[in-house]
Amino acid sequence: MEKRRIVSGMRPTGRIHFGHLHGALLNWKELQDDYRCFYFIADWHALTSEYARPDIIRQSTYDIIIDWISVGLDPERCTFFVQSEIKEHAELHLLLSMITPLPWLERNPTYKEQLKELTQRDVYTYGFLGYPVLQAADILMYKANGVPVGEDQAPHVELTREIARRFNNLYGKVFPEPDTLLTPTAKILGTDRRKMSKSYNNAIFLTDGDEEVDRKVMQMITDPQRKTKKDPGDPAICNVFSFHEIYTDAHTVSGIDRQCRSAEIGCVECKRIMARSLKTALEPVRAKRGELEADMKRVREIVEQGNERARAIARNTMEEVRAAIKI
Ligand code: ATP
Ligand code: MG
């Protein structure tokens, strides 16, 4: 029996940080054994907010593919492709837009939130309102059975299901309704304790060098109640500690937990240990990235092959879609 399919994408608007790693990529990696995975660079989606500086999009595309492979996504098992290389996505987006009621888009919570949040860019555009329809096209094109997403994106998968249902009712059954595969990790906090994000300038990137990691970790805001080393700290609310839990060995972590609560260890010392764990974890990623950067021909081949595989499926789907709509 053919494996169930999943589809997920990332916007090429810069490099990968620890939020992306724990909020998406490590989950993608888990799934690659059990599913037929399609992971794509959502460059048309990047345009919704970055239409005024498209250079960053082109540049980020290969950077991100390299980061994906460096953290263990396997181009043999997964299909990596670039959205704008598969023009069928644009056609399906257009057709789905005809049957998507405007209120479905206007009530979308992410839309409302981002209109408020993205104050640096004017996103009061037709494309931005409609980007969940483009996402529906991305997902349905591959007849995905599941979509791995963070909680913030779950309403979009729901919308995709509604659009699929409406299409199937109007024209006959073409699309399965995909399940939401919620990413287990809670949000990763940045150095300032807000959600880690490029736009907040609080991110630690997989490409950061040792000095950069040291500098950022030293800046990290810890338990805000702990003013001096003499005050006992609370690891449960400390951002540095949450990274220890992921990257430092269990024995050391339980020691730090105890010594923080009893004010035996200070934040500077604690951060130094955490920075060391983080740098150790980044070493193999950096080595793998170095190999890939030295062989860009291979990277381009991987993307080409992925595009070919994706295109073949997209062509088939669009034939079925056109036949169903009789156009
Ligand atoms: P950024 O937020 O840094 O500007 P982006 O907006 O281009 O990046 P998103 O769409 O926010 O990228 O994130 C891509 C994926 O990574 C999503 O699945 C999202 O849930 C996840 N993600 C991003 N940041 C975090 C975080 N801080 N903690 C957990 N998951 C995250
Ligand atoms: Mg974001």
Side-chain angles (χ1 to χ4, degrees):
M1 210 179 81
E2 215 208 323
K3 281 182 177 170
R4 288 162 63 79
R5 292 183 187 177
I6 61 170
V7 174
S8 200
M10 261 186 198
R11 295 171 357 114
T13 54
R15 297 222 66 144
I16 298 289
H17 55 61
F18 279 86
H20 301 130
L21 179 67
H22 291 281
L25 294 183
L26 293 181
N27 189 39
W28 288 13
K29 196 170 140 182
E30 285 283 306
L31 296 166
Q32 68 186 351
D33 294 321
D34 299 328
Y35 290 85
R36 183 155 177 214
C37 300
F38 295 85
Y39 297 135
F40 69 99
I41 300 289
D43 52 353
W44 280 337
H45 284 289
L47 272 182
T48 55
S49 63
E50 307 307 318
Y51 56 84
R53 41 173 214 143
D55 291 354
I56 181 86
I57 298 175
R58 204 170 323 119
Q59 196 189 318
S60 307
T61 295
Y62 283 101
D63 288 348
I64 289 180
I65 299 265
I66 288 173
D67 287 347
W68 285 356
I69 303 172
S70 307
V71 299
L73 287 177
D74 178 2
E76 301 290 323
R77 278 178 289 171
C78 313
T79 296
F80 300 153
F81 69 91
V82 178
Q83 182 189 32
S84 67
E85 292 291 327
I86 319 295
K87 308 299 178 195
E88 284 81 358
H89 287 232
E91 183 181 356
L92 187 55
H93 169 243
L94 178 115
L95 295 172
L96 297 180
S97 77
M98 302 301 171
I99 64 166
T100 305
L102 211 39
W104 288 8
L105 300 176
E106 287 165 339
R107 71 170 185 228
N108 168 10
T110 359
Y111 173 68
K112 290 195 263 186
E113 194 188 300
Q114 298 213 319
L115 266 192
K116 257 188 260 146
E117 249 178 48
L118 294 175
T119 48
Q120 312 297 334
R121 322 234 195 304
D122 181 3
V123 289
Y124 210 72
T125 60
Y126 175 54
F128 190 66
L129 175 67
Y131 88 91
V133 184
L134 181 56
Q135 270 187 351
D138 301 331
I139 296 164
L140 298 177
M141 187 67 85
Y142 303 92
K143 300 192 176 178
N145 307 102
V147 187
V149 285
E151 218 164 302
D152 52 327
Q153 295 282 318
H156 295 176
V157 185
E158 182 54 43
L159 185 70
T160 299
R161 267 200 299 276
E162 285 177 298
I163 294 175
R165 213 172 300 144
R166 193 165 159 90
F167 185 101
N168 292 341
N169 285 336
L170 284 165
Y171 308 117
K173 186 161 186 331
V174 173
F175 299 118
E177 291 178 30
D179 295 328
T180 306
L181 308 175
L182 264 194
T183 308
T185 318
K187 73 178 171 203
I188 298 288
L189 301 183
T191 50
D192 59 359
R193 297 180 95 237
R194 290 190 291 169
K195 180 186 167 191
M196 186 176 284
S197 171
K198 285 185 295 282
S199 38
Y200 294 156
N201 234 329
N202 65 359
I204 303 177
F205 295 92
L206 301 187
T207 41
D208 283 346
D210 285 351
E211 287 96 75
E212 213 141 19
V213 172
D214 284 334
R215 189 175 54 77
K216 288 179 178 177
V217 171
M218 285 304 157
Q219 283 170 355
M220 277 173 99
I221 298 176
T222 57
D223 171 1
Q225 303 298 322
R226 193 172 190 202
K227 300 240 159 40
T228 74
K229 193 183 158 181
K230 292 195 203 82
D231 302 319
D234 181 0
I237 59 162
C238 178
N239 192 12
V240 174
F241 193 76
S242 64
F243 281 90
H244 271 308
E245 285 181 301
I246 304 174
Y247 289 106
T248 304
D249 69 276
H251 178 72
T252 311
V253 172
S254 65
I256 289 171
D257 183 88
R258 192 170 25 81
Q259 292 172 319
C260 173
R261 289 175 198 278
S262 59
E264 285 164 81
I265 186 173
C267 291
V268 173
E269 173 62 11
C270 173
K271 284 174 172 178
R272 218 170 264 142
I273 300 170
M274 196 276 270
R276 203 184 307 136
S277 309
L278 220 49
K279 288 182 286 188
T280 306
L282 283 177
E283 260 167 42
V285 179
R286 195 177 300 155
K288 184 76 193 161
R289 183 184 329 114
E291 273 173 41
L292 292 160
E293 282 173 347
D295 191 2
M296 283 306 291
K297 187 163 160 279
R298 166 99 187 96
V299 177
R300 274 190 285 271
E301 272 167 17
I302 287 170
V303 178
E304 278 310 311
Q305 279 168 9
N307 287 344
E308 279 306 317
R309 265 184 259 161
R311 203 172 282 129
I313 296 174
R315 281 203 184 120
N316 281 338
T317 303
M318 286 317 294
E319 272 172 29
E320 280 180 62
V321 166
R322 291 180 209 121
I325 306 182
K326 302 188 179 62
I327 203 160

